Amino acid sequence: MNIIKLNSLTVAEENEILALEKLCKKHDGIYNDVYLNNALNFDNKLPCYFCAYEEQILVGFIAVFVPTRMEAEITAFTHPDFRCKGIFKKLFEEVKKTMLSVGITRFLFVVESASKSGGEVVKHLDSARVFNTELTLECKKSSPEFYPKNCHITEVNQENKTIASKLLGSVFGDFSGSEAFINTGLEEPDREVFMAYDGEIPVGVVNIYYKEKSAMIYGLMVTEIYRRKGFGKALLTFARERALKSRHKVYLDVDTNNKTAVELYLANGFKKVSQTYYYIFTEAV
């Protein structure tokens, strides 16, 4: 077996991975797409794609999402005909070596509830436990947008990005991280960032990430004093309608325990299509 570590992908390499993903999704009945973009990683020179080949055939793959040095999020696929042969174990050993070299010892494994093989893999990781669960919700049908009184929504650009960064930082307590997050949304051609105002006061942000046939809404937030006043619904319905103009479906992920957000999304055209478990594992050093 030959294992290759990469921090970027050629078109041919990406197509190989997507073909393997498609095969595994059909075999396992899973929904979510692998994330093949390192723009949000804290260091885009760090290898985050790990590919296993048998006689030049891609038989296993791990993508690592590392937005901070706190933990690495693992998404893995193994060819159905090559399972139970130690491929994931060998790939993960390479992932651990790479992440440990930059001080990362905590790993989150992404496992959809429909993936029996994924569930079996994490059972063999000592001390791995469920850390969190998320729902994936999808919408394919357009419906009217909603705006509370005095609300208007503006695209974030180079002129107002500092306002958006400060707004995000005021909620998450990390201006530099928020600034990097907003900059990624502006620099990547397949992303857009929008900000909601109450009159002249900025109150919330939403992001859209466009894929070939779908779009993802993410990073939707409203400052605490403006919650439950319709601004979250305004940002959601605006992003939903904008995305559906050019894509046949739009989806988002939400923490299962965030009942307020789940209710908002379900009340505005979204339906549950998948549930994902995040298993946490810490490597002893």
Side-chain angles (χ1 to χ4, degrees):
M1 182 191 306
N2 182 30
I3 293 179
I4 298 175
K5 302 188 296 184
L6 304 163
N7 59 17
S8 63
L9 298 171
T10 65
V11 173
E13 289 164 342
E14 183 171 333
N15 287 338
E16 269 189 318
I17 292 167
L18 293 176
L20 176 59
E21 177 199 32
K22 183 178 180 180
L23 177 66
C24 293
K25 287 173 71 173
K26 183 177 180 180
H27 182 273
D28 297 325
I30 56 179
Y31 175 89
N32 288 314
D33 297 330
V34 65
Y35 185 65
L36 298 179
N37 189 317
N38 69 351
L40 294 178
N41 288 355
F42 77 89
D43 179 2
N44 56 25
K45 294 181 180 179
L46 185 70
C48 58
Y49 309 117
F50 297 77
C51 303
Y53 290 87
E54 287 279 9
E55 297 181 357
Q56 299 185 330
I57 298 173
L58 181 67
V59 296
F61 170 74
I62 289 180
V64 187
F65 178 48
V66 278
T68 72
R69 291 180 181 271
M70 291 181 60
E71 62 194 17
E73 185 177 300
I74 306 294
T75 303
F77 293 98
T78 302
H79 193 295
D81 294 341
F82 291 84
R83 292 178 181 175
C84 301
K85 296 183 179 181
I87 291 172
F88 170 80
K89 183 177 180 180
K90 292 176 181 178
L91 278 170
F92 185 47
E93 286 299 322
E94 292 299 322
V95 171
K96 285 193 292 184
K97 289 177 186 177
T98 301
M99 296 302 128
L100 289 172
S101 72
V102 293
I104 296 174
T105 60
R106 193 165 80 161
F107 301 88
L108 280 179
F109 292 88
V110 182
V111 182
E112 283 191 51
S113 57
S115 176
K116 293 181 180 179
S117 61
E120 288 298 318
V121 167
V122 294
K123 284 181 182 178
H124 292 89
L125 291 171
D126 293 338
S127 76
R129 58 181 176 82
V130 175
F131 173 73
N132 192 26
T133 63
E134 283 187 343
L135 298 175
T136 299
L137 308 179
E138 178 185 273
C139 180
K140 296 182 178 180
K141 186 177 180 181
S142 178
S143 56
E145 296 176 34
F146 170 85
Y147 292 92
K149 185 179 179 181
N150 297 326
C151 174
H152 63 96
I153 295 175
T154 302
E155 186 166 6
V156 176
N157 53 37
Q158 294 299 325
E159 294 181 359
N160 62 9
K161 69 176 185 179
T162 300
I163 297 173
S165 299
K166 289 181 178 179
L167 183 65
L168 207 60
S170 69
V171 174
F172 297 110
D174 178 10
F175 174 74
S176 61
S178 298
E179 185 178 37
F181 185 83
I182 294 295
N183 282 336
T184 297
L186 299 183
E187 293 165 2
E188 294 287 310
D190 50 7
R191 298 176 191 268
E192 294 177 326
V193 189
F194 296 91
M195 186 159 45
Y197 288 80
D198 177 22
E200 299 300 316
I201 303 171
V203 300
V205 173
V206 69
N207 297 256
I208 307 174
Y209 173 40
Y210 293 94
K211 299 184 179 182
E212 184 178 355
K213 296 180 180 179
S214 64
M216 179 183 185
I217 295 174
Y218 70 101
L220 194 162
M221 58 74 60
V222 175
T223 54
E224 188 171 359
I225 63 172
Y226 281 93
R227 292 172 189 170
R228 298 184 181 276
K229 296 182 179 180
F231 290 95
K233 182 176 180 179
L235 284 164
L236 174 67
T237 57
F238 171 86
R240 181 197 65 202
E241 293 309 297
R242 185 172 180 86
L244 286 174
K245 287 179 181 178
S246 60
R247 301 296 189 271
H248 82 280
K249 69 178 180 180
V250 59
Y251 70 96
L252 52 81
D253 296 324
V254 58
D255 190 314
T256 306
N257 295 318
N258 190 345
K259 303 300 183 183
T260 300
V262 172
E263 290 173 3
L264 171 66
Y265 302 146
L266 292 177
N268 286 280
F270 287 82
K271 297 180 180 180
K272 176 185 172 182
V273 290
S274 177
Q275 183 167 7
T276 299
Y277 291 85
Y278 290 84
Y279 291 84
I280 191 167
F281 169 79
T282 302
E283 177 72 5
V285 292

